[in-house]
Structures are given as structure tokens and as C-alpha cells.
Amino acid sequence: MNRLIPRLIPAVLVLSALLSMTTVARADLQVVTTTPDLASIAREIGGAHAEVRALALPTQDPHFVDARPHLVLHLARADLLILVGLDLEIGWLPTLITGSRNADIQIAGRGYLDCSQFVELLEVPTQRIDRSMGDVHPGGNPHYMFDPRRALIVARGISRRMASLDPEHGAYFQGRLARFARRLGEARSRWERALVSLRGQKVIGYHRSFPYLADWLGFSVVIYLEPRPGIPPNPRHVARVLGLARQERVRLILQETYFPSSTSELVAERAGARLVQLSAGPNFRGGEDYIDFLDRVVGALSEAR
């Protein structure tokens, strides 16, 4: 046994060094977001000191995400959970949070961050809400990430929370935020110049996904193909939409890619309008960031004008 000890010491030292290197290389914050746009911004801020995952794909309707076991595992390891809020994820996220058994990311936990608290909200109901009105969000419209002005405010909130959880790298997160703000400001100027002619135009939407995009770019959504949020189009309502499209000379119909497009295509064809289909967010897993995503949105809108 004594003769083995000298031989074991080098191996132990190597193993110890490898473990030390693994510890150093590990991201300081384990961050999980509900949507890929929030994931993109969290990655912009966290940089080398955060490992970021998104629960939903850009091809998925964020209202309806399968609560699969591997998503629970991500949440179980999370230091920070970032969500859109306003009940966007109400159908699936609470089950995952409960299953994670992670005290830090429970509601009011230090690692629970509802980003809707940071932004000025649109379409906040003033009357009593009931199910006959469709999937109306009582706290306001949750699709605020289509507006880069509000996305920057969200980024500031994420930076503050990351610094609170990891004070050692607070200055690093602040520097990353400043860099993102500069890039976003330059891109926003470019986007607004490209779409200046969209201001004042009337468009049709499929779902109530675009009030913040309209607020930023200055167009107005005159009617939606869903008669009520979350309720599929019916022939009577489609006829009404088509009549209004012709009356208002609508030339643009907006729809997210995860909705069926046949009705929108029909109305576009009969009204002489262009259908623009937009994804729900960046291809985060493919490396696309938030600015890349809005570049695609602006490009599609510019091409359809």
C-alpha cells in the first residue's frame, strides 16, 4: 500500500486540477427564460458569466408549451427564471416551477423575474374579464418584446437582477448592457428609417400580437382575424374582416408563423393585400440574437410595403 501512494499522488493531483478547471469554467449563473427573445437578451447581458436556456422555441405559441420533464430539470438547476408575465405562460409554467422544487425560482423568490413589471403596458382591460371575451390577459397585452424600446428597458431589469444575484460581476453585466444598448440604438435608427412609410398605415392582424410593434412603428391594426383572442376565425367574421380590408384599403396582414395561414392567405388574396408571417422570436438555439430577429421582422415588413 505504501508503495502505491507515490504512484497515486500524481493522478490525484491531475484529477484535482481538472475538477478545479471545470469549476472555474462553469457559468456563474444558470439562467432559464420562457421565450427565446428573453433568452437572447439574457445572453447579451450575462455573456461569459451566464449559461442561458429558453423553454419555448420560436416556432411555438408561447401560450401553449408542452411541460416536458427535461424542462423541469432546467428549472431545478436555475439560479434565475425570466418570464414575460401577464399570464402569457399561465397554461404551462406553474406546473414546471412546482415540479422543479427550486425555492429560488418560486414566485417572489430571489431568482424569479417577471419582466412585465418594467414596461409601460398596452391594452390593459378596464372592465371585468370573463371567458366569453376569449383569452384576454387581465394585466395587459404580453407581446411587448416586439418593441425594441421596451426590450431595452427589459434588458436593464435583467442586468440589475443578475448583478443582485452575482455582485462580483455586476460591473461586467453593466458593461454588457451598455454595449447592447449602443447596438440596439444604432439598429433602431436604421429600422425606423427603413419603415418610415409604414407610419399611419392600416393593417390587419391575426392574433393580438402586434400592438407594441404598431405603437413603435406608428401603424394601426384596424381588426383581427380572430373574432376574440384565441378563438379561430369563423366565416361570418372573415366576411367582416374582408369588407373592412377593402373599405380601408388595407395592404398588409400580419400573422405569427405558428398560426394556420389559410384564412389569412384567403383574405390577403381577395383584398389585394400582402401577408407577412413573423416568428415569435429569434432562433436562439441557432445563435440568432434579438437584433438579428428584428432585422428579419423589419426586412419582411419593408419588402411587403
Side-chain angles (χ1 to χ4, degrees):
M1 178 63 70
N2 290 338
R3 286 196 299 268
L4 286 175
I5 291 176
R7 299 178 185 176
L8 289 174
I9 288 175
V12 171
L13 291 175
V14 170
L15 178 60
S16 176
L18 288 173
L19 289 173
S20 175
M21 290 171 63
T22 301
T23 302
V24 171
R26 180 190 179 275
D28 297 287
L29 287 177
Q30 296 295 310
V31 181
V32 175
T33 74
T34 55
T35 59
D37 41 22
L38 290 177
S40 171
I41 290 179
R43 183 166 59 190
E44 289 275 1
I45 305 304
H49 294 294
E51 183 175 343
V52 182
R53 293 182 176 87
L55 298 178
L57 299 171
T59 54
Q60 289 178 300
D61 184 342
H63 297 85
F64 307 104
V65 173
D66 291 335
R68 296 183 176 179
H70 74 282
L71 302 183
V72 176
L73 292 177
H74 294 330
L75 290 174
R77 304 185 188 109
D79 300 305
L80 176 60
L81 168 63
I82 305 174
L83 60 146
V84 174
L86 300 172
D87 287 349
L88 179 72
E89 307 99 340
I90 193 66
W92 54 277
L93 185 61
T95 299
L96 294 175
I97 292 175
T98 301
S100 74
R101 300 180 182 273
N102 182 344
D104 287 341
I105 64 165
Q106 305 298 315
I107 295 175
R110 63 195 297 265
Y112 181 94
L113 184 62
D114 181 340
C115 290
S116 67
Q117 66 184 291
F118 302 127
V119 300
E120 181 183 354
L121 300 172
L122 300 177
E123 296 187 349
V124 180
T126 57
Q127 72 275 39
R128 183 178 178 181
I129 304 300
D130 60 60
R131 294 305 300 169
S132 69
M133 302 169 68
D135 293 332
V136 175
H137 295 270
N141 190 297
H143 300 286
Y144 51 80
M145 292 299 292
F146 272 112
D147 181 350
R149 301 169 303 179
R150 288 172 167 90
L152 179 57
I153 295 170
V154 166
R156 291 171 181 154
I158 291 173
S159 176
R160 288 194 297 270
R161 183 59 63 90
M162 285 185 175
S164 173
L165 294 172
D166 183 8
E168 180 182 351
H169 297 110
Y172 174 85
F173 299 140
Q174 186 63 36
R176 297 277 300 185
L177 171 64
R179 175 179 174 271
F180 174 66
R182 286 194 298 271
R183 291 180 57 229
L184 187 63
E186 292 167 359
R188 183 182 151 197
S189 297
R190 182 177 74 250
W191 297 328
E192 290 171 357
R193 287 194 302 270
L195 294 177
V196 65
S197 64
L198 195 58
R199 300 193 70 84
Q201 286 196 28
K202 296 178 180 180
V203 310
I204 290 171
Y206 184 90
H207 180 72
R208 303 191 77 91
S209 302
F210 306 111
Y212 296 97
L213 186 65
D215 184 61
W216 167 42
L217 294 174
F219 63 85
S220 61
V221 183
V222 295
I223 196 169
Y224 293 90
L225 276 160
E226 290 182 332
R228 294 183 299 279
I231 307 300
N234 58 66
R236 182 177 178 180
H237 183 68
V238 170
R240 180 178 173 227
V241 171
L242 184 55
L244 188 61
R246 290 168 173 163
Q247 176 185 325
E248 298 290 347
R249 300 180 182 275
V250 171
R251 293 293 176 263
L252 198 60
I253 298 174
L254 301 182
Q255 176 178 332
E256 285 167 310
T257 53
Y258 49 71
F259 290 114
S261 62
S262 56
T263 302
S264 299
E265 290 168 353
L266 175 67
V267 172
E269 179 184 353
R270 295 190 178 180
R274 294 283 298 275
L275 172 62
V276 176
Q277 294 180 277
L278 306 174
S279 65
N283 179 11
F284 175 74
R285 295 182 186 179
E288 187 178 42
D289 66 19
Y290 180 76
I291 293 175
D292 295 332
F293 164 62
L294 278 190
D295 268 331
R296 283 198 291 112
V297 169
V298 170
L301 292 172
S302 182
E303 184 179 336
R305 284 182 296 122

